[in-house]
Amino acid sequence: MSKDSSESTNKLKRKEVNNYTEKKKAEPNLTSDSIYKQTVDHEEAEAVLRNGEDDMNVYTELCANLRSHILQLKSDGNETPAKLNSIKREVSLSFVLLKKLNRLEKYRLKNARETLQAKKSKVDSFNLQLQNLKYEIFHLKKEVVKCLQFKSKDEDIDLVDEETFFKDAPESISRPEVTKEDPHQLKLARLEWELKQRKELADECSLVERENESVAANINKKRGQLDNLAPLLKQLLSRKFVLTKEETAQIYGNSFFS
């Protein structure tokens, strides 16, 4: 490990410690929960701002420093207590930084997963919209085919020819200034005229039917009267009256014989 690399790592360690110390001094009345929450929020924000590649380089340097210290302790067995304490501090700070880098990486991983989940949800939403649009297109195509295959009942109606229509129909229905230029309006006008004629014929038919019913009722009434008169005629014909001259004179008077 080079001397410049070791010095840069030590500067980074001291900077982290100084920042934490200054923050602690600036907020002396905070509780442990609030300190933990603020620390977590600070590290989450720092994880977003810091570059992952730079942290990877710091991680590599820290691991190299740890390996160098371990090799140094193995090779030199007669270290002074001051030197050992210095190495312990270096190793402890290195582990602290490694843990922080691990937390920052976990925050980045968490943010990446949340971002991925948000993107997946957005893609799923777009996919659902696409499926809905495809279904709507399919439905519209079916409706178009149904409209093209539709056969209106007016096609089976035998309408009067156009010449007769313009001759007999009133101008309020025929509207020649419009219908002669627009086939659709002409079709509607001819249907309207046909409907009007059929209504008039239906009214006439109803009137004739009512007259027929009235005549039939009158005939039935007179037939009933004749049926009631027949027994009386039969009764008169079946009786045999023998009227004497005196009885006849009493009934009709003497003038009957004069």
Side-chain angles (χ1 to χ4, degrees):
M1 175 60 61
S2 64
K3 185 177 180 181
D4 294 338
S5 176
S6 178
E7 289 179 356
S8 63
T9 304
N10 292 333
K11 288 180 180 179
L12 180 62
K13 294 176 184 177
R14 287 193 295 271
K15 184 178 179 181
E16 295 289 342
V17 173
N18 292 333
N19 290 337
Y20 180 76
T21 304
E22 291 176 359
K23 188 174 181 181
K24 289 285 288 181
K25 290 180 180 179
E27 300 174 353
N29 297 325
L30 295 176
T31 62
S32 59
D33 293 338
S34 62
I35 291 173
Y36 175 77
K37 185 177 183 304
Q38 288 189 3
T39 303
V40 171
D41 294 339
H42 172 72
E43 288 189 349
E44 287 182 353
E46 189 178 4
V48 175
L49 297 176
R50 291 178 61 158
N51 191 353
E53 294 182 358
D54 294 339
D55 288 345
M56 184 64 187
N57 294 330
V58 174
Y59 171 79
T60 304
E61 291 179 4
L62 289 174
C63 291
N65 286 335
L66 288 174
R67 283 194 297 269
S68 66
H69 288 313
I70 292 172
L71 292 175
Q72 183 179 359
L73 290 174
K74 285 184 178 181
S75 60
D76 299 334
N78 298 322
E79 295 289 345
T80 61
K83 183 67 174 178
L84 288 175
N85 290 332
S86 176
I87 292 174
K88 287 180 181 179
R89 285 194 299 270
E90 293 287 337
V91 171
S92 298
L93 290 175
S94 296
F95 275 113
V96 170
L97 284 177
L98 285 175
K99 287 184 177 181
K100 180 175 181 179
L101 292 175
N102 184 41
R103 290 195 301 272
L104 293 177
E105 190 60 31
K106 287 184 177 180
Y107 291 144
R108 291 194 191 96
L109 180 61
K110 177 184 176 183
N111 291 332
R113 287 177 177 174
E114 290 177 352
T115 304
L116 177 62
Q117 186 63 33
K119 296 294 183 182
K120 287 176 65 178
S121 299
K122 194 173 182 180
V123 170
D124 291 339
S125 177
F126 286 151
N127 188 35
L128 181 60
Q129 292 179 9
L130 177 61
Q131 296 299 325
N132 291 336
L133 290 175
K134 285 183 178 180
Y135 177 77
E136 188 173 353
I137 291 172
F138 175 74
H139 178 70
L140 290 175
K141 286 183 177 179
K142 286 180 62 178
E143 292 298 323
V144 169
V145 173
K146 189 182 295 184
C147 291
L148 293 175
Q149 295 177 350
F150 175 75
K151 186 177 181 181
S152 178
K153 291 185 177 180
D154 65 278
E155 297 179 4
D156 299 330
I157 299 176
D158 188 13
L159 301 175
V160 297
D161 58 274
E162 295 183 10
E163 183 178 356
T164 305
F165 167 71
F166 285 112
K167 180 180 178 181
D168 298 339
E171 291 188 0
S172 59
I173 295 178
S174 62
R175 295 177 298 161
E177 69 281 358
V178 177
T179 55
K180 287 185 178 180
E181 301 294 334
D182 191 346
H184 179 65
Q185 293 297 328
L186 176 60
K187 183 75 172 181
L188 294 178
R190 292 174 68 189
L191 288 172
E192 184 179 358
W193 174 239
E194 183 71 21
L195 177 62
K196 184 177 180 181
Q197 285 186 315
R198 292 194 178 196
K199 285 183 177 180
E200 291 176 354
L201 291 175
D203 293 339
E204 292 179 3
C205 181
S206 299
L207 180 61
V208 172
E209 287 179 353
R210 287 195 296 271
E211 291 178 354
N212 288 338
E213 290 175 358
S214 177
V215 172
N218 192 17
I219 291 173
N220 291 331
K221 181 179 179 182
K222 291 183 178 181
R223 183 175 294 166
Q225 292 175 353
L226 291 175
D227 292 339
N228 293 331
L229 186 60
L232 295 176
L233 293 175
K234 289 181 180 180
Q235 186 178 3
L236 290 174
L237 292 174
S238 63
R239 288 183 180 180
K240 295 180 180 180
F241 293 98
V242 180
L243 299 177
T244 61
K245 183 178 181 180
E246 291 79 11
E247 291 174 342
T248 303
Q250 290 178 0
I251 296 172
Y252 296 102
N254 294 326
S255 61
F256 182 79
F257 298 99
S258 60

